[in-house]
Amino acid sequence: MGGNPIKIMSNPSLTVVNHPLIQISLTRLRDVATQPAEFRRHLRELSNLMLFEAARDLETRAIEVQTPIAKTGGVDFAREVVLVPILRAGLGMVDGLWGGLSAAHVGHIGIFRDEATAKPQPYYSKFPAYLDKAEVFLLDPMLATGQSAAEAADQLKGHGAKRIRFVSILACPPGLETFHRAHPDIPVFTAAVDLGLNENSYIVPGLGDAGDRYFGT
């Protein structure tokens, strides 16, 4: 298996990150025998690997630093970076992205899915005040129906966010279509696009409920 990101021609805003280390961790996440501690480790590692592609086009600015020998030029982020997990499963991705974005601040969006209607129900949000000037990474392991992600992006834009990218572990065509229709300007990064949804709106073959498996509930 190659190590290059794949642009899906029908959706140029989607990048499927096709790397052996990512696919190996994804396999462990899918496995029903994987226990919560191992699930957490692989989700953290996979999220960290996803960051390298999701952050590829972050703008930087030139700075000068002093090495033990002499002054030299370098770079820093041009803007603040904010990680925004969709509670609760998105929390499992934060540590992985912090591995490469240690200075990033974290906002939160709480959305649960009504099991009867599969509609998103927002219940909490907390963001830094400077979203309009920041690079925002919206995080959720699963892009299933796409409705929670679209609602979260609505909230971010409502608070001024202009530079948003969505990072997931798994997606499926219905979720991608819903999200892209609502937010065609937001690029999506994922490790795989699965077949679709079952009658309970879970991704197939998927990996089950990421939040339940992460927290052991």
Side-chain angles (χ1 to χ4, degrees), residues 156-175:
L156 288 172
K157 289 181 176 180
H159 284 78
K162 300 180 180 67
R163 302 171 187 86
I164 307 170
R165 58 201 73 201
F166 181 79
V167 185
S168 71
I169 303 305
L170 283 180
C172 66

Side-chain angles (χ1 to χ4, degrees), residues 80-93:
E80 297 283 357
V81 177
V82 178
L83 309 179
V84 181
I86 299 177
L87 304 179
R88 59 185 172 140
L91 288 171
M93 300 178 67

